[in-house]
Amino acid sequence: MRFDGTDAYVATDDLTMAVNAAITLERPLLVKGEPGTGKTELARQVAGALNLPMIEWNIKSTTRAQQGLYEYDAVSRLRDSQLGDERVHDVANYIKKGKLWQAFSAKEKTVLLIDEIDKADIEFPNDLLQELDRMEFHVYETGETVRAETRPIVIITSNNEKELPDAFLRRCFFHYIRFPDPETLRAIVRVHFPDIKDQLLTVALTQFFELRDQPGLKKKPSTSEVLDWLKLLLAEDLSPEDLKRDSASALPKLHGALLKNEQDVHLFERLAFMARRDR
């Protein structure tokens, strides 16, 4: 079982090596990187390339680790007991299986995505240490132990919003997705827009990297944002000549797809003002 990338996802050599190392070691793959660099999409592409079903657990700030295992609905059981419902005699009727339970009990190998783990409370990763390490957990209400018959491929993503505990990191294979270099980004664009003209792509990517490398930028645009921008350029049927910047602001055409806060917009407006003043 080996991942070599797909036609729809440009995976660098070090990324494919990381995926395959995690599969061989049977350890979770922890993928970090800027938002929009394809971390979540990686899990989907791995599942597609290996022809495996995928279970996706999207983490929020309110998500608890226990929800990934199971939840016991005591309120519904109490209500049913008051109504004389026969279901109340079997506590299993009130156990809701979580995403880890679904992955552990699957009859075939699955890809389990734990997406944006850094959104949750700092104790969230620690609460899953033993379950992800041993691939089993105990259900106290029923007395059963849920054990993975076939270990899933676990891919965990993080946007680096907070540090993860060392004990959790020791149990993972780690990979950081760096922002793609110009040639890799060009290849990514070609996957999404195979008919884009070379001259337009060259001019657009030159402007994009100039914007991204501007000192003082609060939020650098990501891969997903440059793809959105190019989609707009193609929809508007703009030519390379049309991409000439407005001298009043130094902002690229349709910059709202790239710059997502007013501070960065004002930064380029100030740069344009200073350039005009120094002429």
Side-chain angles (χ1 to χ4, degrees), residues 98-236:
K99 299 295 185 179
L100 267 69
W101 189 330
Q102 295 173 29
F104 289 3
S105 61
K107 298 301 181 184
E108 59 182 325
K109 200 174 193 68
T110 63
V111 174
L112 171 62
L113 169 64
I114 304 178
D115 199 25
E116 298 189 337
I117 194 171
D118 51 327
K119 280 187 176 180
D121 184 85
I122 189 62
E123 291 302 320
F124 180 91
N126 281 334
D127 292 341
L128 292 177
L129 282 180
Q130 298 301 321
E131 288 78 7
L132 289 176
D133 195 27
R134 298 179 181 177
M135 290 289 167
E136 66 177 42
F137 62 90
H138 186 70
V139 183
Y140 296 98
E141 288 78 7
T142 63
E144 66 180 306
T145 296
V146 177
R147 184 176 294 107
E149 298 179 16
T150 304
R151 293 178 73 96
I153 297 173
V154 182
I155 298 178
I156 303 170
T157 71
S158 169
N159 289 329
N160 246 352
E161 291 183 7
K162 62 169 69 82
E163 290 296 321
L164 299 174
D166 289 344
F168 179 80
L169 295 175
R170 283 199 302 270
R171 288 165 168 82
C172 299
F173 190 92
F174 172 76
H175 181 74
Y176 184 85
I177 297 183
R178 295 180 175 84
F179 191 83
D181 58 41
E183 284 308 309
T184 303
L185 186 56
R186 182 180 288 267
I188 292 171
V189 171
R190 285 289 181 197
V191 168
H192 294 268
F193 309 110
D195 298 327
I196 190 170
K197 294 180 180 179
D198 283 335
Q199 189 178 1
L200 176 63
L201 180 56
T202 298
V203 172
L205 290 186
T206 298
Q207 283 196 10
F208 171 75
F209 277 103
E210 288 176 353
L211 182 148
R212 180 177 162 82
D213 294 339
Q214 176 61 48
L217 207 60
K218 183 176 181 180
K219 182 194 177 303
K220 294 184 177 182
S222 67
T223 308
S224 62
E225 287 160 339
V226 72
L227 292 175
D228 286 345
W229 183 53
L230 289 169
K231 184 176 181 179
L232 288 173
L233 298 183
L234 292 172
E236 295 293 328

Side-chain angles (χ1 to χ4, degrees), residues 232-271:
L232 288 173
L233 298 183
L234 292 172
E236 295 293 328
D237 196 24
L238 297 181
S239 68
E241 292 74 25
D242 294 328
L243 295 186
K244 291 181 180 179
R245 300 194 190 191
D246 181 0
S247 59
S249 64
L251 289 165
K253 292 286 192 301
L254 301 167
H255 62 270
L258 299 174
L259 300 177
K260 299 303 176 71
N261 60 71
E262 64 277 10
Q263 294 97 317
D264 289 341
V265 173
H266 291 162
L267 170 64
F268 282 92
E269 291 174 343
R270 288 197 301 272
L271 291 172

Side-chain angles (χ1 to χ4, degrees), residues 52-69:
L52 298 176
M54 179 173 159
I55 297 173
E56 191 167 341
W57 188 15
N58 297 300
I59 307 303
K60 302 177 180 179
S61 60
T62 56
T63 302
R64 295 177 292 108
Q66 181 64 32
Q67 293 172 311
L69 308 179

